[in-house]
Amino acid sequence: MKNIVSFETEIDNRMTELLGILAGTAAKGNSIDSLFHIQWFNFDVVGRLCFGQPFSFLQQERDVNDLIEEFAQTTWILEILAVQENLFCFDSSQAGSETTSLNLAQIIFYIARDSGTQERLQDELDASQIADLVPSLAETKNYEKESQLPFLNACVRETLRYAPSIVQLPREPPASMSLQLHGKFMPPRTSVSASAWIIGHNKNLYGDDTDVYRPERWLEASPDQLKRMTKLDFTLGYGARGYLGRHLALIQLFKATAEIFCQFDVEVAKPNNLQPRGTPLNW
């Protein structure tokens, strides 16, 4: 974690580029598809971490050489891996291009669609600046401080619970191995999957209103309940099979959320184009 935190300045540089694009768009009164910009941001961060320089998506405001579009369909990264022998680079690139981008886009969406949630978060961020708990708008925020802000933390964790970007993590045991699981026999080659969505909507763990996006549940939980909710949090993997890039992902999620809602009032472009539970029809 310390090595990733020491990389925070580089994340700040990419964040400054992203905020500049958003400010220019806001000044013109235009709307944007934030997922594209978030992908550019995350890809540039992991590009700088893994390969020594960003891909320049934010600088050029486009998918340079269609790398993002082709990323999931090609194996070019494996060729780089064969030379660099850097498994962490591979995992970080995947996280940056897919799961972290989707997680951040959903955090922004769920906060923006509820004016009460957005106002409460902005009030907390404003108060923290007055109390000098996080830097002013002229400076880039500090992850270690902003991750301790209660409602910001609750918003991030509630989004990861409510709408995890990785729904299931299937595993298939070897042909020679069978498994006894909760009294059930699983023959060899049986695909066994753990679902972050099912765990995140477990009423015994999160309450009867698990189908409602409500960050306050993380603030209302008793110490014992919060400890259990945290222990069983499955959104970024679990144990030895957890995300190798989870610390980088969390820094990006907290920093970007704090920066964006400190500097902008965010609105859903087409609020009438929503399903009953609030998910865009074309999400």
PDB file of all heavy atoms in Angstrom, residues 177-209:
ATOM      1  N   MET A 177     -10.144 -33.383  -8.562  1.00  0.00           N
ATOM      2  CA  MET A 177     -10.567 -32.850  -7.265  1.00  0.00           C
ATOM      3  C   MET A 177     -12.089 -32.693  -7.195  1.00  0.00           C
ATOM      4  O   MET A 177     -12.716 -32.146  -8.099  1.00  0.00           O
ATOM      5  CB  MET A 177      -9.920 -31.483  -7.016  1.00  0.00           C
ATOM      6  CG  MET A 177     -10.304 -30.844  -5.681  1.00  0.00           C
ATOM      7  SD  MET A 177      -9.595 -29.184  -5.478  1.00  0.00           S
ATOM      8  CE  MET A 177      -7.850 -29.569  -5.467  1.00  0.00           C
ATOM      9  N   SER A 178     -12.678 -33.192  -6.128  1.00  0.00           N
ATOM     10  CA  SER A 178     -14.086 -32.955  -5.842  1.00  0.00           C
ATOM     11  C   SER A 178     -14.176 -32.056  -4.608  1.00  0.00           C
ATOM     12  O   SER A 178     -13.155 -31.736  -3.989  1.00  0.00           O
ATOM     13  CB  SER A 178     -14.829 -34.266  -5.601  1.00  0.00           C
ATOM     14  OG  SER A 178     -14.264 -34.947  -4.493  1.00  0.00           O
ATOM     15  N   LEU A 179     -15.384 -31.669  -4.247  1.00  0.00           N
ATOM     16  CA  LEU A 179     -15.532 -30.691  -3.180  1.00  0.00           C
ATOM     17  C   LEU A 179     -16.808 -30.939  -2.398  1.00  0.00           C
ATOM     18  O   LEU A 179     -17.858 -31.209  -2.980  1.00  0.00           O
ATOM     19  CB  LEU A 179     -15.558 -29.275  -3.783  1.00  0.00           C
ATOM     20  CG  LEU A 179     -15.779 -28.096  -2.826  1.00  0.00           C
ATOM     21  CD1 LEU A 179     -14.582 -27.946  -1.893  1.00  0.00           C
ATOM     22  CD2 LEU A 179     -16.006 -26.819  -3.617  1.00  0.00           C
ATOM     23  N   GLN A 180     -16.717 -30.879  -1.072  1.00  0.00           N
ATOM     24  CA  GLN A 180     -17.877 -30.888  -0.204  1.00  0.00           C
ATOM     25  C   GLN A 180     -18.115 -29.452   0.258  1.00  0.00           C
ATOM     26  O   GLN A 180     -17.277 -28.849   0.909  1.00  0.00           O
ATOM     27  CB  GLN A 180     -17.639 -31.794   1.012  1.00  0.00           C
ATOM     28  CG  GLN A 180     -17.651 -33.275   0.709  1.00  0.00           C
ATOM     29  CD  GLN A 180     -19.055 -33.830   0.471  1.00  0.00           C
ATOM     30  OE1 GLN A 180     -20.055 -33.181   0.795  1.00  0.00           O
ATOM     31  NE2 GLN A 180     -19.129 -35.022  -0.096  1.00  0.00           N
ATOM     32  N   LEU A 181     -19.270 -28.892  -0.113  1.00  0.00           N
ATOM     33  CA  LEU A 181     -19.555 -27.506   0.201  1.00  0.00           C
ATOM     34  C   LEU A 181     -20.914 -27.402   0.873  1.00  0.00           C
ATOM     35  O   LEU A 181     -21.949 -27.647   0.252  1.00  0.00           O
ATOM     36  CB  LEU A 181     -19.526 -26.659  -1.080  1.00  0.00           C
ATOM     37  CG  LEU A 181     -19.687 -25.142  -0.920  1.00  0.00           C
ATOM     38  CD1 LEU A 181     -18.533 -24.571  -0.103  1.00  0.00           C
ATOM     39  CD2 LEU A 181     -19.758 -24.464  -2.285  1.00  0.00           C
ATOM     40  N   HIS A 182     -20.906 -27.086   2.178  1.00  0.00           N
ATOM     41  CA  HIS A 182     -22.149 -26.957   2.953  1.00  0.00           C
ATOM     42  C   HIS A 182     -23.043 -28.190   2.796  1.00  0.00           C
ATOM     43  O   HIS A 182     -24.255 -28.080   2.591  1.00  0.00           O
ATOM     44  CB  HIS A 182     -22.912 -25.700   2.540  1.00  0.00           C
ATOM     45  CG  HIS A 182     -22.190 -24.417   2.837  1.00  0.00           C
ATOM     46  ND1 HIS A 182     -21.964 -23.956   4.120  1.00  0.00           N
ATOM     47  CD2 HIS A 182     -21.610 -23.521   2.007  1.00  0.00           C
ATOM     48  CE1 HIS A 182     -21.299 -22.813   4.064  1.00  0.00           C
ATOM     49  NE2 HIS A 182     -21.065 -22.538   2.806  1.00  0.00           N
ATOM     50  N   GLY A 183     -22.406 -29.355   2.884  1.00  0.00           N
ATOM     51  CA  GLY A 183     -23.159 -30.599   2.807  1.00  0.00           C
ATOM     52  C   GLY A 183     -23.506 -31.043   1.400  1.00  0.00           C
ATOM     53  O   GLY A 183     -24.154 -32.085   1.222  1.00  0.00           O
ATOM     54  N   LYS A 184     -23.114 -30.288   0.411  1.00  0.00           N
ATOM     55  CA  LYS A 184     -23.377 -30.637  -0.982  1.00  0.00           C
ATOM     56  C   LYS A 184     -22.104 -31.146  -1.647  1.00  0.00           C
ATOM     57  O   LYS A 184     -21.024 -30.589  -1.449  1.00  0.00           O
ATOM     58  CB  LYS A 184     -23.896 -29.421  -1.764  1.00  0.00           C
ATOM     59  CG  LYS A 184     -25.147 -28.776  -1.174  1.00  0.00           C
ATOM     60  CD  LYS A 184     -26.362 -29.662  -1.336  1.00  0.00           C
ATOM     61  CE  LYS A 184     -27.618 -28.940  -0.859  1.00  0.00           C
ATOM     62  NZ  LYS A 184     -28.836 -29.771  -0.999  1.00  0.00           N
ATOM     63  N   PHE A 185     -22.241 -32.212  -2.434  1.00  0.00           N
ATOM     64  CA  PHE A 185     -21.092 -32.782  -3.140  1.00  0.00           C
ATOM     65  C   PHE A 185     -20.954 -32.127  -4.509  1.00  0.00           C
ATOM     66  O   PHE A 185     -21.890 -32.119  -5.308  1.00  0.00           O
ATOM     67  CB  PHE A 185     -21.267 -34.291  -3.310  1.00  0.00           C
ATOM     68  CG  PHE A 185     -20.175 -34.912  -4.142  1.00  0.00           C
ATOM     69  CD1 PHE A 185     -18.902 -35.084  -3.626  1.00  0.00           C
ATOM     70  CD2 PHE A 185     -20.435 -35.329  -5.452  1.00  0.00           C
ATOM     71  CE1 PHE A 185     -17.901 -35.667  -4.393  1.00  0.00           C
ATOM     72  CE2 PHE A 185     -19.442 -35.907  -6.223  1.00  0.00           C
ATOM     73  CZ  PHE A 185     -18.165 -36.076  -5.687  1.00  0.00           C
ATOM     74  N   MET A 186     -19.781 -31.596  -4.776  1.00  0.00           N
ATOM     75  CA  MET A 186     -19.483 -30.995  -6.069  1.00  0.00           C
ATOM     76  C   MET A 186     -18.488 -31.887  -6.803  1.00  0.00           C
ATOM     77  O   MET A 186     -17.343 -32.026  -6.372  1.00  0.00           O
ATOM     78  CB  MET A 186     -18.867 -29.594  -5.889  1.00  0.00           C
ATOM     79  CG  MET A 186     -19.707 -28.652  -5.047  1.00  0.00           C
ATOM     80  SD  MET A 186     -21.218 -28.165  -5.871  1.00  0.00           S
ATOM     81  CE  MET A 186     -22.019 -27.206  -4.570  1.00  0.00           C
ATOM     82  N   PRO A 187     -18.899 -32.534  -7.888  1.00  0.00           N
ATOM     83  CA  PRO A 187     -17.989 -33.403  -8.619  1.00  0.00           C
ATOM     84  C   PRO A 187     -16.875 -32.609  -9.295  1.00  0.00           C
ATOM     85  O   PRO A 187     -16.979 -31.376  -9.435  1.00  0.00           O
ATOM     86  CB  PRO A 187     -18.897 -34.065  -9.660  1.00  0.00           C
ATOM     87  CG  PRO A 187     -20.043 -33.143  -9.801  1.00  0.00           C
ATOM     88  CD  PRO A 187     -20.240 -32.482  -8.483  1.00  0.00           C
ATOM     89  N   PRO A 188     -15.797 -33.267  -9.701  1.00  0.00           N
ATOM     90  CA  PRO A 188     -14.709 -32.577 -10.398  1.00  0.00           C
ATOM     91  C   PRO A 188     -15.220 -31.803 -11.603  1.00  0.00           C
ATOM     92  O   PRO A 188     -16.197 -32.180 -12.240  1.00  0.00           O
ATOM     93  CB  PRO A 188     -13.791 -33.721 -10.825  1.00  0.00           C
ATOM     94  CG  PRO A 188     -14.064 -34.809  -9.842  1.00  0.00           C
ATOM     95  CD  PRO A 188     -15.529 -34.699  -9.518  1.00  0.00           C
ATOM     96  N   ARG A 189     -14.563 -30.693 -11.890  1.00  0.00           N
ATOM     97  CA  ARG A 189     -14.883 -29.825 -13.026  1.00  0.00           C
ATOM     98  C   ARG A 189     -16.172 -29.017 -12.834  1.00  0.00           C
ATOM     99  O   ARG A 189     -16.651 -28.392 -13.761  1.00  0.00           O
ATOM    100  CB  ARG A 189     -14.985 -30.629 -14.321  1.00  0.00           C
ATOM    101  CG  ARG A 189     -13.701 -31.321 -14.734  1.00  0.00           C
ATOM    102  CD  ARG A 189     -12.689 -30.337 -15.259  1.00  0.00           C
ATOM    103  NE  ARG A 189     -11.538 -30.989 -15.866  1.00  0.00           N
ATOM    104  CZ  ARG A 189     -10.451 -30.342 -16.278  1.00  0.00           C
ATOM    105  NH1 ARG A 189     -10.377 -29.044 -16.157  1.00  0.00           N
ATOM    106  NH2 ARG A 189      -9.440 -30.998 -16.811  1.00  0.00           N
ATOM    107  N   THR A 190     -16.737 -29.053 -11.633  1.00  0.00           N
ATOM    108  CA  THR A 190     -17.922 -28.246 -11.368  1.00  0.00           C
ATOM    109  C   THR A 190     -17.512 -26.777 -11.187  1.00  0.00           C
ATOM    110  O   THR A 190     -16.625 -26.475 -10.402  1.00  0.00           O
ATOM    111  CB  THR A 190     -18.647 -28.726 -10.097  1.00  0.00           C
ATOM    112  OG1 THR A 190     -19.053 -30.075 -10.280  1.00  0.00           O
ATOM    113  CG2 THR A 190     -19.879 -27.867  -9.820  1.00  0.00           C
ATOM    114  N   SER A 191     -18.149 -25.890 -11.919  1.00  0.00           N
ATOM    115  CA  SER A 191     -17.865 -24.469 -11.781  1.00  0.00           C
ATOM    116  C   SER A 191     -18.544 -23.941 -10.516  1.00  0.00           C
ATOM    117  O   SER A 191     -19.759 -24.047 -10.364  1.00  0.00           O
ATOM    118  CB  SER A 191     -18.374 -23.705 -13.005  1.00  0.00           C
ATOM    119  OG  SER A 191     -18.140 -22.318 -12.846  1.00  0.00           O
ATOM    120  N   VAL A 192     -17.752 -23.417  -9.600  1.00  0.00           N
ATOM    121  CA  VAL A 192     -18.263 -22.857  -8.351  1.00  0.00           C
ATOM    122  C   VAL A 192     -18.018 -21.350  -8.378  1.00  0.00           C
ATOM    123  O   VAL A 192     -16.899 -20.902  -8.597  1.00  0.00           O
ATOM    124  CB  VAL A 192     -17.572 -23.486  -7.129  1.00  0.00           C
ATOM    125  CG1 VAL A 192     -18.107 -22.872  -5.837  1.00  0.00           C
ATOM    126  CG2 VAL A 192     -17.773 -25.000  -7.130  1.00  0.00           C
ATOM    127  N   SER A 193     -19.076 -20.588  -8.171  1.00  0.00           N
ATOM    128  CA  SER A 193     -18.962 -19.142  -8.316  1.00  0.00           C
ATOM    129  C   SER A 193     -19.401 -18.426  -7.041  1.00  0.00           C
ATOM    130  O   SER A 193     -20.390 -18.797  -6.423  1.00  0.00           O
ATOM    131  CB  SER A 193     -19.829 -18.672  -9.491  1.00  0.00           C
ATOM    132  OG  SER A 193     -19.748 -17.272  -9.636  1.00  0.00           O
ATOM    133  N   ALA A 194     -18.642 -17.408  -6.658  1.00  0.00           N
ATOM    134  CA  ALA A 194     -19.007 -16.532  -5.553  1.00  0.00           C
ATOM    135  C   ALA A 194     -19.519 -15.225  -6.144  1.00  0.00           C
ATOM    136  O   ALA A 194     -18.855 -14.628  -6.988  1.00  0.00           O
ATOM    137  CB  ALA A 194     -17.808 -16.278  -4.648  1.00  0.00           C
ATOM    138  N   SER A 195     -20.691 -14.795  -5.733  1.00  0.00           N
ATOM    139  CA  SER A 195     -21.327 -13.625  -6.333  1.00  0.00           C
ATOM    140  C   SER A 195     -21.272 -12.420  -5.404  1.00  0.00           C
ATOM    141  O   SER A 195     -21.858 -12.415  -4.320  1.00  0.00           O
ATOM    142  CB  SER A 195     -22.792 -13.941  -6.673  1.00  0.00           C
ATOM    143  OG  SER A 195     -23.469 -12.770  -7.080  1.00  0.00           O
ATOM    144  N   ALA A 196     -20.570 -11.375  -5.863  1.00  0.00           N
ATOM    145  CA  ALA A 196     -20.509 -10.133  -5.088  1.00  0.00           C
ATOM    146  C   ALA A 196     -21.882  -9.479  -5.011  1.00  0.00           C
ATOM    147  O   ALA A 196     -22.223  -8.842  -4.000  1.00  0.00           O
ATOM    148  CB  ALA A 196     -19.502  -9.176  -5.724  1.00  0.00           C
ATOM    149  N   TRP A 197     -22.701  -9.638  -6.053  1.00  0.00           N
ATOM    150  CA  TRP A 197     -24.035  -9.032  -6.049  1.00  0.00           C
ATOM    151  C   TRP A 197     -24.927  -9.706  -5.007  1.00  0.00           C
ATOM    152  O   TRP A 197     -25.623  -9.024  -4.246  1.00  0.00           O
ATOM    153  CB  TRP A 197     -24.677  -9.153  -7.428  1.00  0.00           C
ATOM    154  CG  TRP A 197     -25.921  -8.318  -7.579  1.00  0.00           C
ATOM    155  CD1 TRP A 197     -26.000  -7.056  -8.092  1.00  0.00           C
ATOM    156  CD2 TRP A 197     -27.251  -8.678  -7.178  1.00  0.00           C
ATOM    157  NE1 TRP A 197     -27.301  -6.600  -8.048  1.00  0.00           N
ATOM    158  CE2 TRP A 197     -28.094  -7.569  -7.490  1.00  0.00           C
ATOM    159  CE3 TRP A 197     -27.821  -9.801  -6.596  1.00  0.00           C
ATOM    160  CZ2 TRP A 197     -29.461  -7.572  -7.238  1.00  0.00           C
ATOM    161  CZ3 TRP A 197     -29.194  -9.798  -6.333  1.00  0.00           C
ATOM    162  CH2 TRP A 197     -29.998  -8.701  -6.660  1.00  0.00           C
ATOM    163  N   ILE A 198     -24.910 -11.041  -4.944  1.00  0.00           N
ATOM    164  CA  ILE A 198     -25.744 -11.764  -3.975  1.00  0.00           C
ATOM    165  C   ILE A 198     -25.316 -11.437  -2.547  1.00  0.00           C
ATOM    166  O   ILE A 198     -26.151 -11.180  -1.672  1.00  0.00           O
ATOM    167  CB  ILE A 198     -25.682 -13.277  -4.238  1.00  0.00           C
ATOM    168  CG1 ILE A 198     -26.403 -13.604  -5.558  1.00  0.00           C
ATOM    169  CG2 ILE A 198     -26.316 -14.051  -3.096  1.00  0.00           C
ATOM    170  CD1 ILE A 198     -26.323 -15.059  -5.956  1.00  0.00           C
ATOM    171  N   ILE A 199     -24.003 -11.407  -2.306  1.00  0.00           N
ATOM    172  CA  ILE A 199     -23.517 -11.073  -0.971  1.00  0.00           C
ATOM    173  C   ILE A 199     -23.900  -9.637  -0.615  1.00  0.00           C
ATOM    174  O   ILE A 199     -24.350  -9.348   0.498  1.00  0.00           O
ATOM    175  CB  ILE A 199     -21.990 -11.265  -0.897  1.00  0.00           C
ATOM    176  CG1 ILE A 199     -21.637 -12.743  -1.054  1.00  0.00           C
ATOM    177  CG2 ILE A 199     -21.438 -10.719   0.426  1.00  0.00           C
ATOM    178  CD1 ILE A 199     -20.154 -13.019  -1.143  1.00  0.00           C
ATOM    179  N   GLY A 200     -23.779  -8.732  -1.565  1.00  0.00           N
ATOM    180  CA  GLY A 200     -24.096  -7.333  -1.317  1.00  0.00           C
ATOM    181  C   GLY A 200     -25.571  -7.068  -1.095  1.00  0.00           C
ATOM    182  O   GLY A 200     -25.940  -6.014  -0.568  1.00  0.00           O
ATOM    183  N   HIS A 201     -26.433  -8.011  -1.496  1.00  0.00           N
ATOM    184  CA  HIS A 201     -27.877  -7.854  -1.309  1.00  0.00           C
ATOM    185  C   HIS A 201     -28.424  -8.848  -0.278  1.00  0.00           C
ATOM    186  O   HIS A 201     -29.623  -9.139  -0.264  1.00  0.00           O
ATOM    187  CB  HIS A 201     -28.598  -8.009  -2.651  1.00  0.00           C
ATOM    188  CG  HIS A 201     -28.389  -6.838  -3.565  1.00  0.00           C
ATOM    189  ND1 HIS A 201     -27.190  -6.594  -4.205  1.00  0.00           N
ATOM    190  CD2 HIS A 201     -29.220  -5.823  -3.934  1.00  0.00           C
ATOM    191  CE1 HIS A 201     -27.304  -5.501  -4.933  1.00  0.00           C
ATOM    192  NE2 HIS A 201     -28.512  -5.009  -4.787  1.00  0.00           N
ATOM    193  N   ASN A 202     -27.530  -9.340   0.576  1.00  0.00           N
ATOM    194  CA  ASN A 202     -27.931 -10.252   1.635  1.00  0.00           C
ATOM    195  C   ASN A 202     -28.602  -9.464   2.759  1.00  0.00           C
ATOM    196  O   ASN A 202     -27.978  -8.622   3.411  1.00  0.00           O
ATOM    197  CB  ASN A 202     -26.694 -10.997   2.171  1.00  0.00           C
ATOM    198  CG  ASN A 202     -27.051 -12.071   3.168  1.00  0.00           C
ATOM    199  OD1 ASN A 202     -27.784 -11.838   4.116  1.00  0.00           O
ATOM    200  ND2 ASN A 202     -26.515 -13.259   2.957  1.00  0.00           N
ATOM    201  N   LYS A 203     -29.879  -9.727   2.985  1.00  0.00           N
ATOM    202  CA  LYS A 203     -30.646  -8.967   3.973  1.00  0.00           C
ATOM    203  C   LYS A 203     -30.174  -9.221   5.397  1.00  0.00           C
ATOM    204  O   LYS A 203     -30.303  -8.346   6.264  1.00  0.00           O
ATOM    205  CB  LYS A 203     -32.136  -9.285   3.824  1.00  0.00           C
ATOM    206  CG  LYS A 203     -32.766  -8.707   2.559  1.00  0.00           C
ATOM    207  CD  LYS A 203     -34.237  -9.052   2.473  1.00  0.00           C
ATOM    208  CE  LYS A 203     -34.945  -8.280   1.358  1.00  0.00           C
ATOM    209  NZ  LYS A 203     -34.231  -8.210   0.095  1.00  0.00           N
ATOM    210  N   ASN A 204     -29.649 -10.403   5.667  1.00  0.00           N
ATOM    211  CA  ASN A 204     -29.125 -10.686   7.002  1.00  0.00           C
ATOM    212  C   ASN A 204     -27.882  -9.854   7.308  1.00  0.00           C
ATOM    213  O   ASN A 204     -27.578  -9.594   8.471  1.00  0.00           O
ATOM    214  CB  ASN A 204     -28.791 -12.173   7.139  1.00  0.00           C
ATOM    215  CG  ASN A 204     -30.025 -13.051   7.127  1.00  0.00           C
ATOM    216  OD1 ASN A 204     -31.089 -12.647   7.603  1.00  0.00           O
ATOM    217  ND2 ASN A 204     -29.900 -14.248   6.578  1.00  0.00           N
ATOM    218  N   LEU A 205     -27.208  -9.445   6.267  1.00  0.00           N
ATOM    219  CA  LEU A 205     -25.972  -8.693   6.441  1.00  0.00           C
ATOM    220  C   LEU A 205     -26.200  -7.187   6.363  1.00  0.00           C
ATOM    221  O   LEU A 205     -25.659  -6.419   7.169  1.00  0.00           O
ATOM    222  CB  LEU A 205     -24.953  -9.122   5.381  1.00  0.00           C
ATOM    223  CG  LEU A 205     -23.559  -8.498   5.443  1.00  0.00           C
ATOM    224  CD1 LEU A 205     -22.891  -8.809   6.786  1.00  0.00           C
ATOM    225  CD2 LEU A 205     -22.697  -9.039   4.293  1.00  0.00           C
ATOM    226  N   TYR A 206     -27.024  -6.753   5.402  1.00  0.00           N
ATOM    227  CA  TYR A 206     -27.169  -5.315   5.137  1.00  0.00           C
ATOM    228  C   TYR A 206     -28.545  -4.750   5.466  1.00  0.00           C
ATOM    229  O   TYR A 206     -28.769  -3.546   5.288  1.00  0.00           O
ATOM    230  CB  TYR A 206     -26.836  -5.030   3.668  1.00  0.00           C
ATOM    231  CG  TYR A 206     -25.383  -5.295   3.321  1.00  0.00           C
ATOM    232  CD1 TYR A 206     -25.015  -6.437   2.611  1.00  0.00           C
ATOM    233  CD2 TYR A 206     -24.378  -4.419   3.721  1.00  0.00           C
ATOM    234  CE1 TYR A 206     -23.689  -6.687   2.293  1.00  0.00           C
ATOM    235  CE2 TYR A 206     -23.055  -4.660   3.413  1.00  0.00           C
ATOM    236  CZ  TYR A 206     -22.713  -5.797   2.697  1.00  0.00           C
ATOM    237  OH  TYR A 206     -21.398  -6.041   2.399  1.00  0.00           O
ATOM    238  N   GLY A 207     -29.481  -5.583   5.910  1.00  0.00           N
ATOM    239  CA  GLY A 207     -30.802  -5.080   6.265  1.00  0.00           C
ATOM    240  C   GLY A 207     -31.845  -5.407   5.210  1.00  0.00           C
ATOM    241  O   GLY A 207     -31.533  -5.887   4.115  1.00  0.00           O
ATOM    242  N   ASP A 208     -33.093  -5.126   5.527  1.00  0.00           N
ATOM    243  CA  ASP A 208     -34.209  -5.484   4.642  1.00  0.00           C
ATOM    244  C   ASP A 208     -34.281  -4.637   3.388  1.00  0.00           C
ATOM    245  O   ASP A 208     -34.955  -5.006   2.424  1.00  0.00           O
ATOM    246  CB  ASP A 208     -35.535  -5.376   5.400  1.00  0.00           C
ATOM    247  CG  ASP A 208     -35.670  -6.423   6.504  1.00  0.00           C
ATOM    248  OD1 ASP A 208     -35.038  -7.493   6.365  1.00  0.00           O
ATOM    249  OD2 ASP A 208     -36.380  -6.159   7.486  1.00  0.00           O
ATOM    250  N   ASP A 209     -33.611  -3.494   3.362  1.00  0.00           N
ATOM    251  CA  ASP A 209     -33.714  -2.589   2.214  1.00  0.00           C
ATOM    252  C   ASP A 209     -32.479  -2.670   1.307  1.00  0.00           C
ATOM    253  O   ASP A 209     -31.991  -1.655   0.797  1.00  0.00           O
ATOM    254  CB  ASP A 209     -33.912  -1.151   2.684  1.00  0.00           C
ATOM    255  CG  ASP A 209     -32.745  -0.658   3.537  1.00  0.00           C
ATOM    256  OD1 ASP A 209     -31.941  -1.493   4.012  1.00  0.00           O
ATOM    257  OD2 ASP A 209     -32.646   0.577   3.731  1.00  0.00           O
TER     258      ASP A 209
END
